[in-house]
Amino acid sequence: MSPGALETIRWAATALAALAFTGCAYTIIRSFGAGAAAYTESMSEETARRFEDIFLFVSAKRIADIGRAAAAAAFLVCFIPLFDYRNPVSTAAGLILGACFGAMALMAPYRLVELLRNRRRQLFNLQLVEALGSMSNALRAGFSINQAFESVVQNGEKPIAQEFGVLLQQMRVGMSFYDALQSLDKRVGSDDLTLVVTAIDIARRTGGNLTEVFDKISETIRERMRIERRVMTLTAQGRLQGIIVACMPALLGAAMTFIKPEMMLPFFRSTDGMA
């Protein structure tokens, strides 16, 4: 076979290999993009439902847009300083760091709603103590349990007034009292409320005195909160020291990168530095 024919075959084989590699890469990227889009949509819908649980009505599309924008910004912030077409190690490090921080930024709305839910739950627990006292006084005055809930809705503050209002609305549209209580317990996710719901259900089944039950539960919750505050006070210094020590290397590295990039960027762009 002539050298020209061998050269033609070599070029044809190279072209076919490049075409196969391009097709494989395109398929992988497209599959990854489709999976990422499906995951983002699912996470956005779940986050939107969680926002609705705390009476913040944000559309899933808006949450997805915020997550994508935050992910793109985090990726660019990590990738651009490390991009160097002459240094594949630095470019690869920028891609890896950008992908990691981009994924974390994509989860930011979900983490935000968890933070808001925890703060709302803590406020609900604080208001629950006063609400139990108000409901106990209402029952002593001859009100029914539904009227006691209505008194909390009328005189209480957010979020407990909102949650009890949803409870009453569900009963008005035909939901049973027990199912409405279970829905309230699941929506709020508070251990103190679970105790109250269980006590109400048992008292309604056995004919117990709800006034005494509410007083005892209120006293128990108040004592537990006092102990928790005491523990938090005693461990505050140690927890703060742990947070500072854990965050100090990352904060110092980020600060030095912005203050003296000519000193830190060669470190990040080297194989030993990344290792």
Side-chain angles (χ1 to χ4, degrees):
M1 186 176 293
S2 64
L6 290 176
E7 187 69 19
T8 302
I9 293 174
R10 187 179 298 110
W11 277 106
T14 304
L16 289 175
L19 182 62
F21 177 79
T22 303
C24 182
Y26 173 76
T27 303
I28 293 174
I29 293 174
R30 186 172 180 179
S31 300
F32 178 79
Y39 173 76
T40 302
E41 182 179 357
S42 175
M43 186 191 69
S44 300
E45 292 177 354
E46 177 65 21
T47 305
R49 285 193 294 269
R50 289 177 175 269
F51 268 117
E52 291 176 0
D53 289 342
I54 58 176
F55 294 84
L56 292 175
F57 300 97
V58 184
S59 65
K61 184 178 182 302
R62 181 62 58 83
I63 294 174
D65 292 340
I66 294 173
R68 293 191 187 101
F75 177 83
L76 292 176
V77 168
C78 296
F79 176 70
I80 290 177
L82 298 179
F83 174 73
D84 187 355
Y85 67 92
R86 295 169 299 180
N87 189 345
V89 174
S90 176
T91 303
L95 287 172
I96 295 173
L97 289 177
C100 293
F101 283 96
M104 293 172 60
L106 189 63
M107 295 289 293
Y110 186 84
R111 299 302 178 188
L112 175 62
V113 73
E114 286 298 319
L115 176 63
L116 294 176
R117 280 174 63 87
N118 289 334
R119 293 183 61 181
R120 181 182 175 87
R121 187 182 301 114
Q122 293 174 1
L123 182 58
F124 182 92
N125 290 336
L126 291 174
Q127 295 175 350
L128 183 61
V129 177
E130 303 298 331
L132 289 175
S134 175
M135 293 172 64
S136 178
N137 293 332
L139 293 175
R140 285 193 182 94
F143 290 3
S144 65
I145 184 65
N146 290 357
Q147 291 173 329
F149 280 120
E150 289 179 358
S151 67
V152 175
V153 173
Q154 294 173 359
N155 303 320
E157 299 179 354
K158 298 178 182 179
I160 194 168
Q162 290 176 325
E163 298 293 350
F164 283 4
V166 173
L167 168 72
L168 295 175
Q169 183 64 29
Q170 289 176 337
M171 289 191 292
R172 291 191 187 101
V173 298
M175 185 179 289
S176 66
F177 183 78
Y178 176 76
D179 291 339
L181 282 178
Q182 292 298 318
S183 176
L184 172 67
D185 186 20
K186 182 179 179 180
R187 188 169 59 251
V188 176
S190 168
D191 294 336
D192 296 336
L193 181 61
T194 301
L195 180 62
V196 174
V197 169
T198 304
I200 292 175
D201 182 56
I202 293 175
R204 284 173 61 87
R205 292 174 184 271
T206 61
N209 189 345
L210 277 177
T211 301
E212 295 181 0
V213 170
F214 286 163
D215 291 338
K216 292 293 185 181
I217 294 176
S218 177
E219 182 180 352
T220 300
I221 296 175
R222 187 178 288 108
E223 183 64 18
R224 180 188 59 78
M225 288 182 176
R226 186 189 67 81
I227 295 175
E228 286 183 351
R229 285 194 294 267
R230 178 65 175 169
V231 171
M232 294 293 288
T233 301
L234 293 175
T235 59
Q237 182 177 357
R239 288 185 289 109
L240 181 60
Q241 290 175 347
I243 293 173
I244 293 174
V245 171
C247 295
M248 188 177 295
L251 293 177
L252 286 177
M256 290 298 296
T257 301
F258 284 103
I259 295 173
K260 291 195 175 220
E262 67 278 3
M263 182 179 70
M264 294 297 293
L265 288 181
F267 172 77
F268 287 120
R269 291 174 176 173
S270 64
T271 306
D272 295 337
M274 293 310 302

